[in-house]
Amino acid sequence: MQNIFFDTRILDKKSREKFYLTEELMMENAAQELESCVMPHVFHESSRYINRPCVLILAGRGNNGADGYVLARRLSCHDFCVAVCCIGEPSSEIAKVQKKRAELLGVSFISPYDLDSFVEEKSFDISVVVDCVYGSGFHLPLDAESEAVIQSANKIEAFKVSCDVPSGLDSDGNGKIVFRADETVAMGALKLSLFSDKAKDFCGKVKVCNLGISRNNFEFLETPDAFLLEKEEMKLPFRKMQNVHKGTFGHVALAAGEKTGAAKIAANSAFAFGAGLVTLVGIEDSGFMNIMASLDLPENTTALVLGCGFGRKNPSFQKYFDFFKENKNIPCVLDADIFYYKEILNLLTERGNFVLTPHPKEFSALLENCGFGKFSVQEIVEKRIELIKLFCGKFKDSVLVLKGAVVLIGTWSKNEGRAKIYLNPYGKNSLAKGGTGDILSGLIASLLAQGYDCVNAAVTASLAHSFASEKVKNNFALTPQLLIEKISEL
């Protein structure tokens, strides 16, 4: 698990104070890391150059631009062309010095107005473009000059590297015109802006570089704002004991409503992920040999799924809500339609032990029904961290899984007295299919039935869901059945 911070400029300042680093030394280390990313892509045997390879650096006015000027100076030692497109004059003294050094060493400078003609002239020679326009702490909107440069740079067929954050992404990971990088070199530590849904199409591979001290020493200076999940956090329910029976591994009950297909998908998912028994409630025949059916909730239920295809006006909802109130120790996954019931506020207030799995539109309905106000889907996407913290702060005994291109898992930490947020960025676009959300609900419920707590069930199920999607050969061909099969291959 890796630490993620909202704004690392605070870490920069504290590391200079505590470890007697200078701003110039940190810039030199940043440029060295950028250089190591650039060099493997300058020369390619398959490429044809009219003259000689060229590295184009886009430099802004601030210290991100200063990093670009240092990089240009370092690259000028090599046998290829180095050019810097200067977006305005440097605004800090150190940036002015770094630009002067690069200029004295023969680095070429071009203005934004000459960029298109330069690119046309060097179209076969430009092998790498490095984005050093804006870094951490940028606030929208972009100025017109920067917009034009980024749009022109995105059209260049070359390997693209971003310094710290792709320019155009603000601190929350939002933006309209954004530099599209193949690799982003995060300076010192990971930033939250790199893990928004929007950022997933612009960051490429994310690498953290050291700025003259170890990453541990750098990150130790502040409390992380979130945590990046890694494969090691996925604790699959492998069976270790031999003297067991089906009841050992729990009994998942799923409420079948108006669209029984959704509950059936979740049921098969729960069964494939280790649950010993799975029952669809509210129908007489499940249609599967391995999945039971019952009109009533089984007495030995150890986890329940409510909402998958349930319908937004299903009169039987009260039966399940009453069950929750009478059985507060039984964990439950709430999904989809159930977030549109106004009664959910009382339910969440009276007890916890829930894992909620909304997508942004469903989260909007949930927030409104829970008294947080009305939010559009766009507002949910743009303010998701803030809204998850609000929700977890009010409902401290439940876990929230907000689905999207990057999945966010929120929970309240009683020890720290704050909401903790875990990020899962590994899901593929193949998951944008009907039924995949139902599979996630089934996976979580299966783990809950087997004795996982809500946080670990959410984390492991979410990661399994994502890593299984990587195993599908053609990203357009995923089906619920195929995804369930791939989960068995983890």
Side-chain angles (χ1 to χ4, degrees), residues 9-148:
R9 291 175 299 176
I10 301 169
L11 294 171
D12 288 341
K13 182 175 183 297
K14 288 189 174 182
S15 61
R16 289 196 295 270
E17 294 170 352
K18 183 175 177 63
F19 300 109
Y20 290 87
L21 300 177
T22 65
E23 195 169 29
E24 190 164 354
L25 176 61
M26 296 175 78
M27 280 186 178
E28 200 68 35
N29 280 284
Q32 182 179 4
E33 291 286 348
L34 287 170
E35 183 180 11
S36 70
C37 293
V38 167
M39 289 303 297
H41 302 280
V42 177
F43 295 96
H44 290 287
E45 293 180 3
S46 60
S47 299
R48 297 179 180 179
Y49 304 108
I50 294 177
N51 298 299
R52 57 175 180 160
C54 177
V55 175
L56 173 64
I57 300 170
L58 315 176
R61 301 172 180 83
N63 283 356
N64 203 253
D67 290 339
Y69 291 124
V70 179
L71 174 64
R73 169 176 57 77
R74 295 179 64 94
L75 292 178
S76 69
C77 303
H78 301 286
D79 187 26
F80 50 80
C81 170
V82 181
V84 180
C85 178
C86 308
I87 304 173
E89 288 301 314
S91 59
S92 66
E93 289 303 315
I94 192 168
K96 293 175 184 176
V97 170
Q98 301 294 13
K99 181 181 180 183
K100 188 65 177 178
R101 288 171 177 167
E103 184 179 14
L104 292 172
L105 286 165
V107 173
S108 299
F109 294 101
I110 56 176
S111 76
Y113 305 102
D114 298 324
L115 179 60
D116 286 338
S117 58
F118 175 84
V119 171
E120 184 177 354
E121 178 186 348
K122 297 281 188 180
S123 59
F124 290 98
D125 300 330
I126 299 173
S127 54
V128 182
V129 180
V130 186
D131 160 35
C132 297
V133 183
Y134 290 106
S136 181
F138 167 71
H139 298 286
L140 291 169
L142 278 171
D143 59 87
E145 196 171 56
S146 297
E147 280 189 1

Side-chain angles (χ1 to χ4, degrees), residues 175-410:
K176 292 183 178 180
I177 296 173
V178 181
F179 183 86
R180 191 180 297 274
D182 297 295
E183 187 167 355
T184 297
V185 183
M187 299 303 168
L190 294 172
K191 286 83 177 164
L192 268 173
S193 57
L194 300 175
F195 298 99
S196 68
D197 286 355
K198 176 83 174 184
K200 197 164 184 177
D201 280 323
F202 293 94
C203 291
K205 178 183 177 182
V206 177
K207 172 187 176 183
V208 179
C209 82
N210 295 332
L211 297 175
I213 57 175
S214 73
R215 187 173 171 185
N216 285 340
N217 280 326
F218 188 79
E219 295 180 354
F220 179 73
L221 300 169
E222 277 288 307
T223 302
D225 293 291
F227 302 90
L228 178 66
L229 294 172
E230 297 181 286
K231 199 166 188 176
E232 291 72 21
E233 274 75 58
M234 183 175 66
K235 309 298 182 184
L236 296 173
F238 289 115
R239 299 180 174 186
K240 298 177 182 178
M241 302 298 292
Q242 298 298 323
N243 183 23
V244 294
H245 54 83
K246 58 190 176 185
T248 306
F249 304 103
H251 190 164
V252 177
L254 303 100
E258 294 177 2
K259 298 177 181 178
T260 58
K264 289 179 178 180
I265 290 171
N268 277 300
S269 168
F271 197 78
F273 212 43
L277 295 164
V278 178
T279 297
L280 283 164
V281 182
I283 58 177
E284 296 182 347
D285 182 9
S286 73
F288 302 101
M289 291 185 292
N290 57 308
I291 307 297
M292 298 180 290
S294 172
L295 295 177
D296 300 309
L297 280 160
E299 291 184 2
N300 60 343
T301 296
T302 54
L304 176 62
V305 178
L306 179 61
C308 300
F310 189 69
R312 299 183 185 180
K313 296 181 180 179
N314 192 323
S316 65
F317 84 91
Q318 194 61 53
K319 173 180 71 174
Y320 295 102
F321 279 26
D322 291 341
F323 175 82
F324 290 137
K325 294 174 183 178
E326 295 168 6
N327 300 272
K328 295 185 177 181
N329 62 316
I330 295 180
C332 176
V333 178
L334 300 179
D335 188 25
D337 292 333
I338 207 65
F339 301 125
Y340 293 89
Y341 286 78
K342 295 185 181 300
E343 293 82 358
I344 196 169
L345 172 60
N346 291 333
L347 181 64
L348 294 174
T349 302
E350 288 191 21
R351 60 156 282 182
N353 222 5
F354 290 114
V355 179
L356 302 91
T357 62
H359 56 54
K361 185 177 180 181
E362 293 162 351
F363 192 38
S364 175
L366 176 62
L367 289 172
E368 183 174 357
N369 285 328
C370 288
F372 291 100
K374 292 185 177 182
F375 296 90
S376 67
V377 172
Q378 186 65 29
E379 287 174 316
I380 296 288
V381 172
E382 293 179 353
K383 300 177 180 179
R384 57 193 190 143
I385 298 288
E386 175 188 338
L387 294 173
I388 288 174
K389 288 181 177 179
L390 283 174
F391 185 87
C392 293
K394 183 172 183 178
F395 304 109
K396 294 181 169 65
D397 296 319
S398 292
V399 173
L400 179 69
V401 180
L402 181 57
K403 293 179 284 195
V406 176
V407 178
L408 274 62
I409 300 172

